[in-house]
């Protein structure tokens, strides 16, 4: 499991350096979406100062990866939430940014995967 996490981290760093990310345009940032749903910052970040980074484990407490994969199963050319690299366990923060525009992590290697990422 540690090797998978290490490989994911290395891949994320490499792709962030070389990827041409596709940004979702005219979509509200996810911090606003969460705030409008009544979710306070401390719910994800905790009450410690400085604020703690949010991990995928925090995301999946509310967002079930299996349900997300089912919801996006008909996306073409592939399902971004169930893929051959990470199955349904792609780290949410690879694509979904909370305090800045989200990006399409897949386009770092797959230019034709032009998903709009909220």
């Amino acid at each position: 499991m540690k090797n998978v996490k290490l490989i994911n981290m290395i891949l994320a760093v490499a792709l962030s350096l070389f990827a041409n990310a596709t940004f979702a345009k005219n979509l509200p940032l996810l911090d606003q979406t969460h705030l409008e749903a009544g979710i306070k910052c401390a719910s994800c970040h905790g009450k410690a100062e400085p604020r703690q980074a949010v991990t995928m484990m925090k995301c999946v407490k509310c967002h079930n990866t299996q349900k997300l994969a089912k919801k996006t199963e008909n996306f073409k050319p592939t399902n971004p939430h169930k893929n051959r690299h990470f199955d349904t366990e792609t780290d949410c923060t690879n694509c979904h940014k909370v305090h800045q525009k989200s990006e399409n992590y897949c386009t770092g290697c797959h230019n034709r995967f032009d998903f709009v990422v909220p």
Side-chain angles (χ1 to χ4, degrees), residues 14-78:
L15 288 175
S16 68
L17 293 174
F18 300 107
N20 289 326
T22 301
F23 290 96
K25 294 178 176 61
N26 301 319
L27 292 175
L29 297 181
L30 290 179
D31 57 356
Q32 291 301 310
T33 303
H34 285 98
L35 191 60
E36 289 170 9
I39 300 167
K40 298 185 186 281
C41 300
S43 298
C44 298
H45 288 287
K47 295 182 181 185
E49 291 292 338
R51 299 268 188 201
Q52 300 170 12
V54 178
T55 65
M56 181 178 168
M57 294 310 296
K58 192 62 101 164
C59 299
V60 299
K61 286 186 177 183
C62 297
H63 303 283
N64 181 296
T65 58
Q66 300 295 321
K67 288 181 182 178
L68 283 169
K70 181 75 174 155
K71 185 176 178 180
T72 57
E73 69 184 346
N74 294 320
F75 277 36
K76 299 294 180 202
T78 192

Side-chain angles (χ1 to χ4, degrees), residues 29-31 92-103 105 117-118:
L29 297 181
L30 290 179
D31 57 356
C92 306
T93 61
N94 286 347
C95 294
H96 302 283
K97 311 299 180 192
V98 177
H99 301 293
Q100 60 191 17
K101 289 201 181 281
S102 294
E103 60 187 3
Y105 181 74
V117 182

